[in-house]
């Protein structure tokens, strides 16, 4: 089984590159942001809790998020593995993911860090905000998301380095070149 963690700041291209990885490797895609947005759209209790936090650029509490991820993982049938997009975002989540995979006799194959300069991230997200209108794609919320990323999520780079799973990808530039680098990183770990 191939289990890939795609990692990076808001706007780094996790969703964009996940779609290509899914197609090439036949993986299931779990995007925790997409799961939460679906709950918001459906008007569930979880959606209401999530909306207040997402609109303010804050993370959903670990316990809640870990429960959502476990349920999602249990619901999968078939496929060659999973690409985890937007999870883990804290060290507690990374530790839980490891436990969940070990319980299934599996492991994370690679963690791909998409590195993109902050001014480019802001540019991409503001553009998307104008085009499609994700509620958290406005300047004020983007700034908060970037701070939360730096403080709570970026430490996972060292955590995955310690695990021997970290792969650096330059996420700034042409989509095709970035994807080629991703494929090379994944294939080197197969
Ligand atoms: P989530 O949905 O995961 O959002 P995010 O991490 O902020 O990242 P985005 O989805 O905005 O960006 P992306 O990296 O997927 O980039 P994309 O491919 O779209 O999470 C949203 C919120 O949910 C969080 O803030 C949090 O509140 C909550 N949440 C989710 N998971 C959680 C968890 N595990 N724990 C706690 N809370 C959680 O690309 C962005 C734009 O750039 C697009 O318009 C794209 O077309 C463009 N683009 C992509 N690549 C390039 C390129 N190479 N050049 C130019 N443009 C590009
Ligand atoms: Mg995304």
């Amino acid at each position: 089984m191939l289990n890939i963690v795609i990692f990076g700041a808001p706007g780094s291209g996790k969703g964009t590159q996940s779609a290509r990885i899914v197609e090439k490797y036949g993986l299931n895609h779990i995007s925790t942001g997409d799961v939460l947005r679906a709950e918001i759209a459906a008007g569930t209790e979880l959606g209401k809790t999530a909306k207040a936090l997402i609109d303010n650029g804050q993370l959903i509490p670990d316990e809640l998020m870990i429960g959502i991820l476990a349920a999602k993982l249990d619901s999968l049938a078939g496929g060659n593995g999973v690409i985890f997009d937007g999870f883990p975002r804290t060290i507690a989540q990374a530790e839980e993911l490891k436990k969940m995979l070990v319980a299934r006799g599996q492991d994370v194959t690679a963690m791909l860090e998409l590195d993109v300069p902050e001014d480019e991230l802001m540019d991409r997200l503001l553009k998307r905000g104008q085009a499609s209108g994700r509620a958290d794609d406005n300047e004020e919320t983007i700034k908060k998301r970037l701070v939360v990323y730096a403080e709570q999520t970026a430490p996972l780079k060292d955590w995955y380095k310690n695990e021997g799973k970290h792969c650096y990808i330059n996420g700034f530039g042409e989509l095709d070149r970035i994807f080629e680098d991703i494929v090379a990183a994944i294939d080197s770990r197969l």
Side-chain angles (χ1 to χ4, degrees):
M1 285 295 201
L2 186 55
N3 293 304
I4 305 290
V5 171
I6 191 152
F7 182 89
S12 57
K14 300 184 294 294
T16 304
Q17 296 294 338
S18 285
R20 295 176 168 220
I21 298 168
V22 162
E23 197 185 344
K24 181 170 172 68
Y25 294 95
L27 302 182
N28 296 290
H29 180 207
I30 301 182
S31 158
T32 44
D34 288 350
V35 171
L36 295 169
R37 283 184 289 275
E39 294 284 336
I40 292 171
T44 63
E45 278 307 309
L46 171 59
K48 284 174 196 153
T49 306
K51 183 170 170 42
L53 292 162
I54 290 177
D55 287 354
N56 196 30
Q58 304 302 307
L59 298 183
I60 278 65
D62 283 335
E63 269 176 48
L64 199 53
M65 214 57 240
I66 288 161
I68 294 168
L69 202 273
K72 196 78 194 161
L73 208 48
D74 284 336
S75 75
L76 298 179
N80 299 326
V82 180
I83 181 149
F84 297 92
D85 163 2
F87 188 101
R89 266 177 148 89
T90 62
I91 287 174
Q93 291 181 14
E95 283 168 349
E96 279 306 317
L97 177 62
K98 186 176 177 179
K99 279 189 211 158
M100 281 184 234
L101 291 176
V102 166
R104 290 166 171 78
Q106 298 179 38
D107 198 359
V108 168
T109 312
M111 181 271 220
L112 309 173
E113 179 203 344
L114 294 173
D115 182 41
V116 177
E118 262 202 22
D119 53 346
E120 167 77 4
L121 296 170
M122 181 56 89
D123 217 48
R124 288 184 190 178
L125 294 176
L126 286 176
K127 265 190 208 143
R128 188 178 61 189
Q130 283 158 8
S132 71
R134 230 175 80 172
D136 56 348
D137 284 343
N138 60 78
E139 188 169 0
E140 195 192 339
T141 309
I142 295 165
K143 280 186 183 157
K144 288 183 187 166
R145 287 157 69 194
L146 292 173
V147 170
V148 167
Y149 172 76
E151 289 177 351
Q152 300 188 49
T153 306
L156 283 173
K157 293 180 217 173
D158 282 340
W159 195 89
Y160 277 108
K161 280 178 192 164
N162 279 329
E163 295 276 308
K165 307 291 184 191
H166 177 268
C167 303
Y168 176 88
I169 307 283
N170 176 4
F172 180 47
E174 283 294 315
L175 291 179
D176 289 345
R177 194 274 304 154
I178 297 166
F179 184 60
E180 280 169 24
D181 290 355
I182 287 174
V183 168
I186 293 175
D187 289 352
S188 75
R189 304 220 162 216
L190 293 180

